[in-house]
Amino acid sequence: MGQCYYNQTIGFFYNNSGKELSSHWRPKDVIVVALGLTVSVLVLLTNLLVIAAIASNRRFHQPIYYLLGNLAAADLFAGVAYLFLMFHTGPRTARLSLEGWFVRQGLLDTSLTASVATLLAIAVERHRSVMAVQLHSRLPRGRVVMLIVGVWVAALGLGLLPAHSWHCLCALDRCSRMAPLLSRSYLAVWALSSLFVFLLMVAVYTRIFFYVRRRVQRMAEHVSCHPRYRETTLSLVKTVVIILGAFVVCWTPGQVVLLLDGLDCKSCNVLAVEKYFLLLAEANSLVNAVVYSCRDAEMRRTFRHLLCCVCLRRSTHASARCASSAQASASTRIMLPENGHSLMDSTL
């Protein structure tokens, strides 16, 4: 191990990596901060609404919704972390201590890792419930709790490692350009881990799709071609495309530049796009709320109930009307005549 530079400034490491550290607000910085603050506020409000809906509606007090709640919590944390970044970026970066920089980076790494890991946990539990033709309400609570604990242990591990060991303060030749205090190997591992999670999600949802399609075809052979069976397959295809498409659009650009920087691609101008791709990854925390929660009919009713009661809380009559309308109906479920279990519900 070479000489360590624990007493150096942020500017020293940025100069070493060749990343510009601005001393004034440039138009690019203003645009990024304006967009970042907008996305952060939307992420915070949307995921707070999801958490409030899950907490207030007893129908959501089931294991699968614990995972959706954990996803909302992770994305809420990501919104807070990105908001913190927006208030400590641009010219303010130079005024950070090394510890402050690692806190800023650790918050982002932890929250985004928790979000991605929860997406995989949701995919795994959906696969398990579909393959067992099991209602989400019958998923083992202990298993879901262990999944949530595992998600946060992994997220905290990846978030805290750079500050304690996986940095380049003692090996300047290993510093990355995008994150000048982190080792390039950390960026490469983070990018490859996210890619691995995506491939697992593709495998899981592909297996779910083919299983459901086969089962629907078998049911159609014993029951006259009901439009519901075709709707089930089309709905599942739409869900799978939305889930995987959102992940690819939001995460792939950022993972590519992280991997290129981690592999020390000298000819790749990763610094020109890094801020925008990070913003796109943060936007996934907003997209998750839409893809995983807002497409649930019962969840949408609960949202309307909460928003209605907030807007019209001074009117007792209006509040009572909102409460009654929110409990009027249950989530739409497609039932298989073979055994009465739902093959797919609105949370799939």
Side-chain angles (χ1 to χ4, degrees), residues 213-287:
R213 190 179 70 170
R214 286 196 305 269
R215 190 167 183 81
V216 167
Q217 288 174 345
R218 287 201 301 268
M219 293 299 99
E221 293 175 358
H222 297 87
V223 182
S224 58
C225 264
H226 197 285
R228 279 288 183 87
Y229 292 114
R230 181 177 177 81
E231 291 172 8
T232 299
T233 304
L234 292 177
S235 177
L236 182 59
V237 172
K238 182 179 178 181
T239 299
V240 171
V241 169
I242 291 175
I243 289 173
L244 298 181
F247 193 93
V248 169
V249 170
C250 293
W251 279 104
T252 301
Q255 301 311 316
V256 169
V257 295
L258 278 177
L259 188 58
L260 291 175
D261 192 17
L263 297 177
D264 197 22
C265 178
K266 300 293 186 183
S267 60
C268 304
N269 191 13
V270 295
L271 297 179
V273 294
E274 56 147 347
K275 293 183 183 295
Y276 301 106
F277 287 172
L278 176 59
L279 178 62
L280 188 59
E282 175 61 25
N284 185 246
S285 295
L286 177 62
V287 174

Side-chain angles (χ1 to χ4, degrees), residues 10 51 76 86 156 233 285 328:
I10 293 294
I51 292 172
L76 181 68
M86 292 299 98
L156 287 171
T233 304
S285 295

Side-chain angles (χ1 to χ4, degrees), residues 74-92:
D75 288 334
L76 181 68
F77 185 20
V80 172
Y82 200 75
L83 196 63
F84 183 83
L85 172 64
M86 292 299 98
F87 284 109
H88 297 85
T89 191
R92 296 170 182 164

Side-chain angles (χ1 to χ4, degrees), residues 109-147:
D109 293 345
T110 300
S111 60
L112 294 179
T113 300
S115 181
V116 172
T118 304
L119 293 179
L120 178 59
I122 290 173
V124 170
E125 280 307 302
R126 284 174 167 173
H127 177 272
R128 183 180 181 279
S129 63
V130 169
M131 293 302 157
V133 195
Q134 182 180 43
L135 292 174
H136 285 311
S137 60
R138 296 178 184 173
L139 294 175
R141 293 175 185 268
R143 174 188 174 88
V144 173
V145 170
M146 289 302 296
L147 277 175

